[in-house]
Amino acid sequence: MRRARGITKLAGLALICLTSGCAVLEDHIAFSNAAPVGAVQEIFVSTGRLPSAKDVDITQDRSAAVKFAKYEVSIPPTHVLGQIEWPKGVVDLGSDFAVTGVEDLRSSARMIAAIKAQKGDEVVVFLHGYNNTPSEALYRFAQIGHDFRIEEPRVLFAWPSAGTATGYVYDRDSVLFSRDPLAQLLTAISQHTDKKITLIAHSMGGHLAMEVMRQLALTGQRSVLRDIGTVVLLAPDIDPDIFRAQAHAIGRLPDPFIIMSSRGDRALNFSAILNIGRHKVGDLSQAEDVAGLNVTLFDFTALSDGSNLDHLVPMTSPAAIMVLRDLISFGQLAEPDLSAFEIGDDGVINARPPVIPANAYSSLSP
């Protein structure tokens, strides 16, 4: 029996390798000195590893030295909702994502000052998931910012993922390693700006979000927790027992606190295989996992299309994006129109496939 279980785990890992690739991913961000021809996303970055076009070893040991920068990411006019148009060969700003500006901010104080000077009363902080390079995380947040029309200052906290499908255990350790620098970032935003914080976290980044809020609670940083106005967990890779223990330590959760995922999320299913078959909060298979907590569950199974193991549906499905950007005002659920959803017997809000106009997938229109 034990040997059979081991074979099952290896089979699951093999499937991950086949679908995601087990080789370390090349950090192939593109830079261009040309003037952008499409929209531009300005993103602040706090990380131990800045996105770079060359000389990046994403398998290096974790660094406690945090770097701060501002990137300008050009979104091509031909951009399709939910996609990242990666450059193939020479970058073409008419069809590719590219970095058209970088500023080394050198210190947390300078980055916070730049954030404070921007318009708006919110800051949106994004935590990427497992098996991400810094460049992927930067481009994904640029895509999210553009497609969801986020106008508030955007901060990417790029924690040190190994950037390989076989680095699952390494990445979970990296989450624990990253709690202090993320807590310091959130504390600096809270203490030195007048802006509320919206946390968006994907997959294993959701585990980091919960861990850092737990840490803030246990260290008495309640004022920082109060400045976290909204939490959105996308397909969170968290064991339900751990999630409930984290929520208990945090106490009163930010409101709104939203979990978005799909019951057909194959990445979380594989993660469960690696965890003796225990399901994760993000697969929404058992809504009772969060019963009694002030949490809103959205199920986007009906909008899944099979791409990306259905692990990125709320971020990449054009149908999901069109529903969500009309539903969510970053910072609060602003009298949401739930006509595109139905509430199940388990309390989960289920998306219904909307009718999408043929010209809706090209997304530079306001």
Side-chain angles (χ1 to χ4, degrees):
M1 178 65 74
R2 185 174 298 172
R3 185 171 183 271
R5 288 176 179 170
I7 292 173
T8 300
K9 290 181 181 180
L10 290 174
L13 182 58
L15 283 171
I16 295 176
C17 292
L18 287 172
T19 53
S20 300
C22 281
V24 173
L25 299 174
E26 181 183 358
D27 208 30
H28 60 308
I29 194 169
F31 288 80
S32 174
N33 293 323
V37 294
V40 173
Q41 283 286 309
E42 184 178 277
I43 296 177
F44 296 96
V45 179
S46 172
T47 182
R49 307 171 184 167
L50 290 172
S52 174
K54 59 184 178 179
D55 299 328
V56 171
D57 178 10
I58 59 175
T59 62
Q60 66 185 327
D61 290 338
R62 305 175 185 98
S63 173
V66 182
K67 300 175 182 178
F68 304 92
K70 183 177 71 174
Y71 284 73
E72 294 177 353
V73 181
S74 173
I75 312 294
T78 55
H79 171 64
V80 176
L81 274 175
Q83 300 299 308
I84 295 175
E85 284 82 12
W86 287 94
K88 299 177 178 62
V90 178
V91 63
D92 179 355
L93 293 182
S95 59
D96 303 330
F97 273 58
V99 173
T100 53
V102 182
E103 180 181 357
D104 183 357
L105 297 174
R106 299 185 179 276
S107 70
S108 172
R110 288 187 60 185
M111 186 176 79
I112 296 300
I115 291 171
K116 182 178 180 179
Q118 292 202 349
K119 295 180 180 179
D121 56 4
E122 300 171 40
V123 178
V124 180
V125 178
F126 179 62
L127 313 178
H128 60 82
Y130 143 74
N131 186 17
N132 263 226
T133 67
S135 297
E136 285 181 292
L138 178 69
Y139 277 8
R140 179 61 65 194
F141 195 22
Q143 175 257 311
I144 292 171
H146 175 270
D147 290 352
F148 285 92
R149 300 171 179 167
I150 302 175
E151 298 180 355
E152 294 79 6
R154 281 135 286 173
V155 182
L156 166 65
F157 181 83
W159 55 273
S161 167
T164 172
T166 55
Y168 188 84
V169 175
Y170 180 95
D171 279 12
R172 286 192 70 86
D173 288 344
S174 289
V175 162
L176 302 181
F177 176 84
S178 301
R179 289 176 298 189
D180 286 351
L182 178 56
Q184 292 162 5
L185 171 65
L186 298 180
T187 300
I189 294 172
S190 172
Q191 293 181 347
H192 301 294
T193 78
D194 56 356
K195 303 178 189 296
K196 299 289 284 187
I197 300 168
T198 292
L199 270 181
I200 304 176
H202 176 239
S203 188
M204 199 175 286
H207 185 40
L208 175 56
M210 291 298 292
E211 278 292 294
V212 79
M213 287 190 290
R214 173 184 178 273
Q215 178 168 317
L216 290 169
L218 294 178
T219 56
Q221 300 295 311
R222 288 286 171 184
S223 61
V224 181
L225 278 175
R226 286 193 293 270
D227 278 339
I228 300 175
T230 300
V231 173
V232 180
L233 302 186
L234 306 169
D237 187 350
I238 312 174
D239 181 278
D241 291 342
I242 293 176
F243 181 83
R244 188 166 286 278
Q246 291 166 326
H248 178 73
I250 294 166
R252 183 177 180 180
L253 294 175
D255 186 12
F257 190 109
I258 303 164
I259 295 177
M260 299 180 181
S261 195
S262 164
R263 297 177 193 267
D265 189 324
R266 287 171 288 156
L268 289 185
N269 289 338
F270 295 147
S271 174
I273 290 174
L274 297 175
N275 189 32
I276 64 171
R278 289 180 58 82
H279 70 278
K280 299 302 178 76
V281 169
D283 70 13
L284 300 180
S285 62
Q286 298 185 47
E288 61 265 27
D289 288 340
V290 296
L293 303 174
N294 187 24
V295 173
T296 303
L297 301 177
F298 284 87
D299 183 355
F300 288 89
T301 302
L303 307 184
S304 303
D305 60 8
S307 62
N308 301 298
L309 302 179
D310 288 330
H311 191 46
L312 302 173
V313 176
M315 297 184 283
T316 63
S317 162
I321 290 170
M322 294 191 68
V323 168
L324 282 171
R325 71 183 181 187
D326 290 335
L327 173 70
I328 296 177
S329 170
F330 280 89
Q332 62 179 354
L333 284 174
E335 297 298 328
D337 176 9
L338 296 179
S339 60
F341 298 86
E342 58 186 6
I343 300 178
D345 294 337
D346 55 3
V348 177
I349 302 175
N350 303 288
R352 291 195 293 257
V355 177
I356 306 295
N359 64 349
Y361 291 84
S362 184
S363 66
L364 279 182
S365 58

